[in-house]
Amino acid sequence: MAADQGIQTAHDGVAEVSMTAARANLTQLIRDVRYGGRVAAFTERGQRSAYVVPAEFYEQAIRDREKLEFLCQRAVPPGPDATADVRVQAEAIRSALHSAELASG
């Protein structure tokens, strides 16, 4: 993507375009995302305000979120009448989620 079009590539590889330059660059930006698999962001006052991602990325994010929500539900401490297996499983899931959170920063 050419800088003279108003689209800049940030240090993390995300294509950025300001909201004021977005209209003139929208077609190119979407093509780069769709066919190039890149992530793009609209910026306002130098801050990212919205992202444009390939459809596959978004669809995977939805699936990942559903899995995470399921795991979070299973991690809730069970009631006193729960079996030992259920309690151990909930603790294991809580521990794994906590480790993942620590690892992701």
Side-chain angles (χ1 to χ4, degrees):
M1 288 186 265
D4 60 318
Q5 293 179 323
I7 301 172
Q8 305 289 322
T9 301
H11 66 281
D12 60 358
V14 174
E16 294 182 338
V17 63
S18 70
M19 293 298 285
T20 56
R23 173 176 262 165
N25 295 287
L26 189 58
T27 300
Q28 183 62 44
L29 188 72
I30 291 173
R31 284 184 181 144
D32 288 343
V33 169
R34 182 176 181 193
Y35 299 113
R38 297 187 66 182
V39 174
F42 295 110
T43 61
E44 292 181 279
R45 295 181 197 91
Q47 299 294 316
R48 293 177 181 171
S49 59
Y51 287 89
V52 180
V53 297
E56 299 82 19
F57 180 94
Y58 176 78
E59 291 162 0
Q60 183 64 52
I62 294 298
R63 288 190 297 272
D64 291 347
R65 183 180 195 142
E66 289 170 354
K67 291 173 190 172
L68 184 58
E69 287 172 355
F70 173 79
L71 288 171
C72 287
Q73 290 171 355
R74 298 294 301 259
V76 172
D81 57 339
T83 65
D85 289 349
V86 171
R87 284 194 295 276
V88 168
Q89 184 181 41
E91 179 57 35
I93 293 171
R94 275 194 306 281
S95 178
L97 290 171
H98 180 70
S99 293
E101 186 176 8
L102 291 175
S104 67

